């Protein structure tokens, strides 16, 4: 998720929040091009594409307009555009889950139907285009803790995203005989008529990874958040009167990143050239040259270095883009630096739809505490499914009794959690429940049990779930706080086992 949550519009509609953009040729046939975009950060199993948004790719032929200190890329006026639009969910059969359909509008105006999550995708009769849309494992990984330059775990482990993947015959669609260097962007725009001649406000767009959050969103480079203003710009045509604003932010941000290791690697002229190149934000790729996991940004770097590029640039699914970028910003490739992870949760594949299948493994959190009190004394307090004993609970409303009983919990920070009792065995001092709402997870099951241990008892509290609309690391932190705080309070009340 190299572009996620970078403005209020994206926060308001995560299904339109673009997180990543890819452009690469297939390993089986270099004449086949793939462009892919991801939306909906930390998508849950029920995530769906918006039926009010145009998910579009725009490709333009690009020329090298300067090298070295005058490095610049100039996009042409002609635009190759592909758009995907989606319908409401529809029930297919009485037993099946609802299905979302849609269509892809091709550059020549033809439409190609889409069935979301159909891994085979849909192809045009002539085989020129093939399209997939659906839930996939997030191909991005971020293992840096910022501010500062500190290695950490993959902060997106087990995350999923919604993805759109379009594979096509590059010769037929791009006509590389007229030039093989291209720039591509992805954007999300509301589907509604123009209002008094004004186009609807763009929700999001993305070119190169981390243009907004790492470069423009660097708070150490300026106090004003420019990311939402940037997202309202027209790709390939940044507003002339705003260019100085963005240029100064990019310049200050690069200078700041350069000194994160205490060494100045960017000269003023090279820094200015870098800003000039990255101000016009589009993902560059050259279909006449190899696009690999390591070719990302090579075209831009070569231009700034005053030489012709040797690779196809682009961005392959398994490219380590964050470490490539951090190395470039901090030490201008003097020494490659790595974060705390070397791969995404699941590697991409060499076959359609290239992004790995979604993560569906239940995540687990478990804690236990040894108490001095006997099991019956502890069960008398916590075995009734009423969590009023928990220090994070401000108020509880109980409905019903026995299996099926509901508890509505208001936490001390004002949040509401609703849970249902699914199984209870007083003789075994155990109950199992399901969280219905209030925790950003699906398939959430909790289990609380007490067993004798020596002269006292041990309380075990476990939960398993799928993260939903929040990163796995965030959901685990929320659940861990609930479980651990509750068990710690029992130790204070009953005393720990000796």
């Amino acid at each position: 998720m190299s572009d996620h949550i970078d403005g209020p519009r994206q926060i308001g509609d995560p299904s339109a929040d673009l997180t990543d953009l890819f452009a690469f040729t297939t390993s089986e046939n270099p004449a086949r091009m793939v462009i892919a975009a991801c939306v909906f950060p930390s998508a849950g199993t029920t995530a769906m594409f918006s039926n009010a948004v145009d998910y579009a790719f725009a490709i333009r032929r690009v020329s090298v307009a300067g090298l070295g200190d005058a490095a610049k890329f100039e996009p042409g006026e002609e635009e190759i555009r592909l758009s995907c639009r989606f319908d409401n969910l529809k029930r297919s059969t009485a037993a099946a889950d609802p299905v979302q359909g849609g269509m892809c509008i091709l550059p020549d105006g033809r439409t190609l139907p889409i069935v979301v999550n159909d891994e085979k995708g849909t192809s045009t009769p002539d085989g020129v285009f093939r399209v997939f849309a659906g839930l996939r494992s997030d191909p991005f990984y971020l293992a840096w803790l910022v501010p500062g330059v500190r290695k950490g775990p993959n902060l997106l482990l087990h995350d999923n995203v919604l993805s759109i993947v379009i594979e096509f015959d590059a010769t037929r669609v791009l006509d590389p005989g007229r030039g093989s260097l291209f720039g591509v962007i992805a954007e999300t725009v509301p589907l509604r008529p123009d209002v008094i001649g004004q186009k609807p406000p763009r929700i999001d767009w993305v070119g190169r990874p981390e243009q907004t959050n790492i470069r423009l969103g660097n708070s150490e480079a300026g106090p004003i958040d420019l990311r939402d203003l940037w997202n309202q710009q027209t790709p390939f045509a940044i507003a002339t009167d705003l260019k100085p604003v963005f240029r100064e932010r990019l310049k200050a941000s690069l200078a700041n990143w350069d000194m994160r290791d205490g060494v100045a690697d960017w000269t003023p002229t090279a820094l200015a050239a870098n800003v000039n190149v990255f101000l016009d934000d589009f993902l560059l790729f050259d279909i006449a040259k190899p696009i690999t996991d390591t070719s990302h940004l090579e075209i831009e770097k070569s231009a700034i270095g005053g030489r012709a590029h040797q690779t196809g640039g682009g961005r392959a699914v398994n490219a380590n883009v964050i470490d490539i970028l951090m190395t470039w910003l901090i030490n201008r490739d003097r020494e490659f630096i790595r974060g705390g992870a070397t791969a995404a949760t699941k590697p991409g594949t060499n076959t359609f739809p290239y992004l790995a299948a979604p993560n569906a493994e239940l995540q687990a959190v478990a804690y236990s505490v040894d108490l001095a009190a006997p099991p019956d004394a502890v069960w008398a307090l916590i075995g009734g499914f009423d969590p009023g004993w928990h220090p994070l609970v401000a108020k509880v409303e109980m409905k019903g009794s026995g299996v099926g009983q509901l508890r509505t919990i208001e936490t001390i920070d004002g949040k509401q959690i609703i849970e249902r009792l699914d199984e209870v065995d007083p003789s075994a001092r155990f109950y199992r429940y399901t969280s219905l709402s209030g925790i950003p997870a699906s398939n959430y099951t909790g289990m609380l049990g007490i067993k004798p241990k020596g002269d006292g008892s041990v309380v075990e509290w476990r939960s398993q779930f799928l993260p939903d609309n929040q990163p796995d690391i965030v959901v685990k932190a929320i659940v861990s706080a609930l479980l651990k705080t509750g068990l710690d309070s029992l130790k204070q009340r009953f005393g720990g086992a000796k």
Side-chain angles (χ1 to χ4, degrees):
M1 296 187 287
S2 66
D3 193 73
H4 70 300
I5 313 177
D6 56 337
R9 291 171 176 81
Q10 293 84 340
I11 294 172
D13 186 359
S15 67
D17 185 355
L18 282 157
T19 64
D20 278 300
L21 174 64
F22 301 85
F24 57 94
T25 48
T26 72
S27 58
E28 294 182 344
N29 183 1
R32 298 287 292 183
M33 186 74 203
V34 177
I35 54 175
C38 301
V39 297
F40 212 132
S42 304
T45 55
T46 59
M48 57 184 289
F49 294 96
S50 172
N51 67 343
V53 171
D54 184 26
Y55 299 85
F57 298 89
I59 304 172
R60 295 195 186 191
R61 203 178 311 274
V62 173
S63 60
V64 180
L67 295 174
D69 293 346
K72 184 173 177 58
F73 296 93
E74 191 69 43
E77 294 296 325
E78 181 184 357
E79 189 167 277
I80 300 167
R81 194 169 185 85
L82 303 100
S83 298
C84 293
R85 300 173 182 177
F86 297 90
D87 305 323
N88 288 325
L89 289 175
K90 295 181 180 178
R91 190 170 296 280
S92 54
T93 66
D97 292 331
V99 175
Q100 187 175 31
M103 66 176 178
C104 182
I105 304 171
L106 305 176
D108 60 6
R110 288 183 296 166
T111 60
L112 187 62
I114 302 170
V115 177
V116 173
N117 291 322
D118 179 359
E119 293 208 355
K120 300 186 299 297
T122 310
S123 300
T124 54
D126 56 12
V128 173
F129 291 94
R130 189 178 185 183
V131 179
F132 164 85
L135 192 68
R136 308 309 283 173
S137 177
D138 192 341
F140 187 69
Y141 58 101
L142 174 63
W144 290 99
L145 303 175
V146 292
V149 184
R150 295 179 295 135
K151 296 182 179 182
N154 178 15
L155 301 178
L156 305 176
L157 194 66
H158 306 302
D159 272 19
N160 294 320
V161 287
L162 290 178
S163 303
I164 298 171
V165 180
I166 302 179
E167 179 187 311
F168 57 88
D169 185 326
T171 302
R172 296 274 296 272
V173 177
L174 299 180
D175 189 11
R178 297 168 50 202
S180 60
L181 183 62
F182 294 87
V184 59
I185 63 93
E187 65 178 353
T188 51
V189 180
L191 275 174
R192 64 177 177 84
D194 291 357
V195 178
I196 317 178
Q198 299 295 317
K199 293 184 177 180
R202 182 174 292 98
I203 299 173
D204 199 8
W205 68 283
V206 59
R208 301 179 186 91
E210 296 292 1
Q211 174 76 350
T212 52
N213 290 331
I214 291 290
R215 297 191 189 97
L216 290 169
N218 181 0
S219 60
E220 296 184 24
I224 300 175
D225 193 335
L226 299 178
R227 293 176 297 172
D228 189 53
L229 182 63
W230 174 264
N231 287 327
Q232 297 312 298
Q233 300 307 298
T234 301
F236 300 106
I238 306 302
T240 302
D241 58 336
L242 291 175
K243 278 189 175 183
V245 176
F246 296 126
R247 190 184 302 277
E248 285 305 309
R249 174 57 58 84
L250 290 172
K251 182 178 178 181
S253 180
L254 177 55
N256 176 266
W257 279 109
D258 182 28
M259 294 306 298
R260 295 289 176 100
D261 62 353
V263 179
D265 291 284
W266 288 93
T267 64
T269 54
L271 188 151
N274 191 312
V275 168
N276 199 46
V277 166
F278 284 88
L279 178 64
D280 293 321
D281 186 39
F282 34 80
L283 184 59
L284 281 167
F285 65 92
D286 189 332
I287 58 174
K289 300 181 183 297
I291 299 176
T292 68
D293 289 345
T294 59
S295 63
H296 177 62
L297 293 186
E298 189 271 335
I299 299 175
E300 293 90 338
K301 294 176 183 180
S302 294
I304 294 169
R307 59 186 182 274
H309 59 274
Q310 302 299 309
T311 75
R315 181 185 177 187
V317 173
N318 293 322
N320 183 1
V321 295
I322 191 67
D323 290 349
I324 290 173
L325 176 62
M326 296 289 272
T327 300
W328 177 246
L329 294 177
I330 293 171
N331 66 46
R332 199 179 176 182
D333 288 353
R334 171 170 43 83
E335 177 185 3
F336 193 76
I337 57 177
R338 287 188 178 275
T342 58
T345 308
K346 294 181 179 180
T349 70
N350 292 325
T351 57
F352 189 87
Y354 305 105
L355 278 68
N359 299 295
E361 301 83 8
L362 288 170
Q363 301 303 303
V365 172
Y367 290 98
S368 65
V369 62
D370 293 339
L371 302 177
D376 286 341
V378 181
W379 180 254
L381 175 69
I382 69 175
F385 197 53
D386 184 335
W389 56 270
H390 198 296
L392 296 182
V393 172
K395 185 172 64 174
V396 181
E397 180 183 348
M398 308 295 293
K399 288 186 179 180
S401 62
V403 172
Q405 185 178 30
L406 296 177
R407 63 185 185 190
T408 300
I409 303 166
E410 183 179 317
T411 61
I412 58 175
D413 59 353
K415 295 182 174 61
Q416 186 182 82
I417 301 172
I418 301 176
E419 296 170 335
R420 181 190 64 226
L421 181 63
D422 294 331
E423 179 185 358
V424 60
D425 186 344
S427 62
R429 305 179 195 90
F430 166 87
Y431 69 76
R432 176 173 55 83
Y433 63 95
T434 295
S435 178
L436 303 178
S437 67
I439 294 177
S442 61
N443 300 84
Y444 185 106
T445 301
M447 292 150 282
L448 183 67
I450 308 170
K451 295 179 180 179
K453 186 174 183 180
D455 294 332
S457 58
V458 57
V459 180
E460 298 176 342
W461 199 353
R462 308 188 306 276
S463 68
Q464 58 184 28
F465 53 85
L466 289 174
D468 191 0
N469 300 342
Q470 287 286 351
D472 172 79
I473 193 171
V474 172
V475 181
K476 280 185 175 177
I478 293 171
V479 176
S480 293
L482 287 170
L483 272 57
K484 191 172 186 305
T485 302
L487 294 181
D488 286 347
S489 75
L490 295 179
K491 191 171 185 179
Q492 295 172 6
R493 184 186 296 257
F494 293 107
K498 298 179 181 179

